[in-house]
Amino acid sequence: MQISDLPYPDPGVPDARSGPRFLVWLGRGQLGGQLKSLCWGLLHFGGIAGLPYALGLGIEAVVEHDGTRLLLVGALLLLLGVAISLGDTMLHRTAVTNWITAAARVQQLLARKTAELGSALTRRVAAGEVVAVSTGDVEKIGWFVEAVSRFLAAAFSVVLVCVGLLFYAPAIGVVVAIGIPVVALAVLPLLPRATQRADVQREKAGRATELASDTVAGLRVLRGIGGEELFLGRYREASQEVRTAAVRSARMWALISAIQVVLPGVLLITVVWYGSALVLDGRLAVGQLVAAFSAVATMLYPLRHFEEIAMAYSFSRPSAKRAARVLSLTRGAAKAAEPEGGRGAAVAAPAPGGDLCDPRTGLLAPAGRFTAVVCGDPDLAGRLADRLGGHPMDPDGGASALLGGVELDALALDTARGLVLVQDKDPVLLSGTLRELLGVPASGAVEAGSALAAAQCADVLDALLQAAPDGVGDPMDARITERGRSLSGGQRQRLALARSLVTDPEVLVLDEPTSAVDSHTEARIADGLAALRAGRTTVVLASSPLLLDRADQVVLIHEGTVAAVGTHRELLRGDRRYRAVVTRETEEEQRLSRLGHVLTEIEESA
């Protein structure tokens, strides 16, 4: 795989059971690139490992006044220099390629998971954590993947030097063969503590990122209530915690780096001292001493990769754990009928005209009818909307919503979304023209003009046209800023509703579609929605009497189950729980109202 070949046609199905398993899966997916990097690394570090022996042979040739042998050693040094230079260049090239391709694969997997789960993702995982995984974590994961091949090549060169010295100069080679592994493994006892401190740092950094993300998202509200300084103070505190944790982590890694410098120095002094004694005793040649000294000196460079692989793993392991946690999320708990990867299904789509049912609450939305659902708990309403769209929120299982008797979360994702469209209570508008916003996959039965009219977007079109540059005469060509920030909440909500109406799905689920508009506009939207969706299954989760009065049936969900079904007026007269939610009556007001009805009946009977 070359960088020019990215993105992957298919990033594959990850092993997301744990962070280490995910790292192993990534490594297996790049075996070709890892082998290339390993081969070039062996050439590079092999050349470095050969330098001490060539230098020792050269010293011996000078001592023995052997010119021919000295020329051969010069040729060998030239060959080793070419090997080191070529190997280093290609090792860097292949290692960076491995890094980028691993990071790109993770980003593709995250993008696919985001598209699969939709808005349900940020309800199951904190938004700050998703941002951290898709930015900083992918780089740390890629770092470990590319460092593996360089570490293996460096380890091979260390073994080659130790074994070579045992044969070339056994008297001093034993000291080197024992000392270098000790130097390489001396930092192992410190790694758990260093990893723990690094984990704390990343956890605090994730919290700070999440706080910053939430603050930016709610900046307009914060300015309105004067809460900017409060949240700025919280972010300062979070940043200071991150700084303190980073300093503690850096101190541990500095200690590890110091050990990696001090111990090789001690080994170098030991080799020189012991080797000099051997030379004086005539048990070691000068060339062999120089070779041993050079071997220890040159091993400082490969030994750095032992520290690097430890750092890369300690930083990438929690990053891989977070990525695996996100990638392990599924649309439903039981996916036995779905092939590996969760991107298709063997279950056939239901026949048109089926009822929508949620077994968990007992909700039944008849086909072709306008059903309104009233929930006293907004969180329950949000979870219900997700289930009705085929995105169960509970990871421990539970019944899926059914359309025509078929489980939605067992259908292929494209099929489920083509059948049921859920509009979140906080819909997002992407930047672009209005024409691009409404250019969504649709049946073609509903034109953009009809959808905009039903959603009462006339004033929104005028506002977009007034803000558009000169020369733009069609509001469909007017541009919408990022997330529609230049529009009011009600205007964004109506454009999102128009976008949903244009798609004309078999089942449309709307969660509080008019919570940000005034009552007059809401009444017209209710009429337009009922007219445009006539004969199509529509479910609206709301508590507004204007919407509820236009529904064919209203379902009250109390404490997680269906408590009453009827029209808005029937329930308003006959169910105090429904009346409490819709009219916002307190218990005292309900008691006084019942008392008033009793007194009225007494007066009438008298």
Side-chain angles (χ1 to χ4, degrees):
M1 171 67 70
Q2 299 295 324
I3 295 178
S4 58
D5 297 327
L6 295 175
Y8 287 94
D10 181 6
V13 180
D15 185 349
R17 289 176 291 177
S18 66
R21 289 177 183 271
F22 181 59
L23 291 174
V24 171
W25 177 83
L26 279 175
R28 287 204 314 264
Q30 294 182 206
L31 284 179
Q34 293 284 7
L35 288 175
K36 287 181 182 178
S37 184
L38 178 59
C39 290
W40 289 115
L42 290 176
L43 178 63
H44 173 61
F45 288 108
I48 293 175
L51 285 176
Y53 307 115
L55 188 58
L57 293 173
I59 296 295
E60 291 178 3
V62 172
V63 172
E64 297 174 4
H65 303 286
D66 189 344
T68 303
R69 189 177 174 188
L70 187 60
L71 288 176
L72 292 176
V73 170
L76 178 59
L77 287 172
L78 178 61
L79 182 62
L80 290 174
V82 172
I84 293 172
S85 300
L86 179 62
D88 188 28
T89 301
M90 298 307 298
L91 173 61
H92 178 74
R93 179 183 178 90
T94 53
V96 171
T97 300
N98 289 336
W99 186 338
I100 293 176
T101 50
R105 188 191 294 270
V106 177
Q107 286 181 326
Q108 280 186 258
L109 290 170
L110 290 171
R112 189 174 70 184
K113 184 60 64 175
T114 302
E116 177 187 342
L117 297 179
S119 61
L121 175 62
T122 52
R123 293 194 182 98
R124 300 169 71 174
V125 181
E129 183 171 348
V130 177
V131 173
V133 171
S134 59
T135 53
D137 284 341
V138 295
E139 294 187 6
K140 295 180 179 67
I141 293 171
W143 177 26
F144 175 74
V145 171
E146 67 91 12
V148 169
S149 56
R150 289 190 287 109
F151 163 72
L152 292 176
F156 173 80
S157 68
V158 171
V159 173
L160 184 62
V161 167
C162 294
V163 173
L165 276 178
L166 285 175
F167 286 96
Y168 179 67
I172 195 68
V174 174
V175 176
V176 176
I178 295 175
I180 287 184
V182 171
V183 171
L185 303 177
V187 297
L188 284 181
L190 298 177
L191 290 180
R193 183 175 296 182
T195 301
Q196 182 180 8
R197 292 189 179 185
D199 290 347
V200 172
Q201 176 196 349
R202 278 182 292 275
E203 180 182 355
K204 293 184 178 296
R207 292 177 182 174
T209 302
E210 182 178 350
L211 179 60
S213 177
D214 292 342
T215 303
V216 171
L219 189 58
R220 177 179 293 184
V221 177
L222 291 176
R223 286 175 175 171
I225 63 176
E228 293 174 271
E229 287 300 323
L230 174 63
F231 274 82
L232 185 59
R234 291 180 180 177
Y235 185 71
R236 285 197 187 102
E237 293 177 3
S239 298
Q240 289 302 314
E241 290 180 1
V242 173
R243 183 189 65 80
T244 302
V247 170
R248 293 187 72 247
S249 178
R251 285 174 180 168
M252 184 56 66
W253 288 111
L255 176 60
I256 292 175
S257 298
I259 292 175
Q260 291 289 315
V261 173
V262 171
L263 290 185
V266 172
L267 178 60
L268 196 62
I269 294 172
T270 302
V271 168
V272 172
W273 174 78
Y274 181 63
S276 300
L278 293 177
V279 171
L280 293 176
D281 291 342
R283 298 165 54 191
L284 186 70
V286 176
Q288 293 176 326
L289 174 60
V290 173
F293 174 83
S294 302
V296 175
T298 54
M299 281 303 97
L300 294 179
Y301 172 60
L303 286 176
R304 292 176 187 171
H305 292 79
F306 285 72
E307 176 188 352
E308 182 192 17
I309 195 65
M311 291 183 64
Y313 180 73
S314 66
F315 277 86
S316 65
R317 184 182 58 81
S319 296
K321 181 179 179 181
R322 280 196 295 264
R325 181 185 172 213
V326 175
L327 295 175
S328 64
L329 299 176
T330 58
R331 292 169 53 214
K335 313 299 291 179
E338 192 168 313
E340 189 177 22
R343 287 172 292 144
V347 178
D355 297 338
L356 181 63
C357 173
D358 177 39
R360 197 173 306 185
T361 59
L363 171 67
L364 176 65
R369 311 253 339 248
F370 182 179
T371 301
V373 180
V374 176
C375 295
D377 183 359
D379 293 333
L380 174 62
R383 293 194 297 271
L384 174 60
D386 287 321
R387 284 202 306 275
L388 294 178
H391 293 283
M393 293 296 297
D394 298 335
D396 56 348
S400 166
L402 307 175
L403 180 61
V406 178
E407 293 187 357
L408 283 173
D409 67 340
L411 294 172
L413 182 61
D414 292 343
T415 303
R417 287 186 173 169
L419 294 171
V420 182
L421 174 65
V422 178
Q423 177 177 307
D424 189 83
K425 67 176 62 176
D426 187 22
V428 175
L429 302 182
L430 301 179
S431 60
T433 64
L434 182 57
R435 193 184 308 279
E436 293 170 342
L437 176 69
L438 300 180
V440 293
S443 66
V446 178
E447 297 181 353
S450 301
L452 290 168
Q456 300 299 310
C457 294
D459 63 315
V460 184
L461 300 182
D462 292 339
L464 289 174
L465 199 57
Q466 291 176 2
D470 295 338
V472 177
D474 188 349
M476 296 296 291
D477 295 325
R479 294 195 63 82
I480 300 173
T481 57
E482 179 188 1
R483 299 178 66 91
R485 297 189 188 279
S486 61
L487 303 173
S488 67
Q491 290 174 329
R492 290 196 300 271
Q493 204 169 52
R494 281 178 281 163
L495 285 180
L497 176 60
R499 179 178 58 187
S500 299
L501 294 173
V502 164
T503 62
D504 188 39
E506 181 177 335
V507 179
L508 177 61
V509 179
L510 304 172
D511 188 3
E512 294 288 356
T514 58
S515 59
V517 301
D518 60 82
S519 57
H520 297 289
T521 305
E522 186 178 29
R524 294 195 295 269
I525 290 175
D527 292 333
L529 178 62
L532 193 63
R533 292 288 299 175
R536 307 287 272 169
T537 306
T538 306
V539 179
V540 177
L541 291 92
S543 58
S544 168
L546 295 173
L547 277 174
L548 300 174
D549 194 41
R550 267 66 167 188
D552 297 323
Q553 73 167 16
V554 179
V555 179
L556 171 65
I557 295 181
H558 180 68
E559 296 182 352
T561 59
V562 172
V565 179
T567 65
H568 168 61
R569 298 177 188 273
E570 292 172 349
L571 294 177
L572 198 61
R573 289 193 301 267
D575 196 301
R576 61 181 181 82
R577 295 168 301 183
Y578 178 82
R579 188 166 53 250
V581 175
V582 173
T583 63
R584 275 76 171 178
E585 285 185 349
T586 64
E587 292 184 1
E588 180 66 19
E589 290 172 336
Q590 292 183 39
R591 188 183 66 81
L592 293 175
S593 177
R594 287 196 300 270
L595 180 60
H597 285 301
V598 171
L599 292 176
T600 301
E601 292 176 356
I602 293 174
E603 290 177 358
E604 290 177 351
S605 63

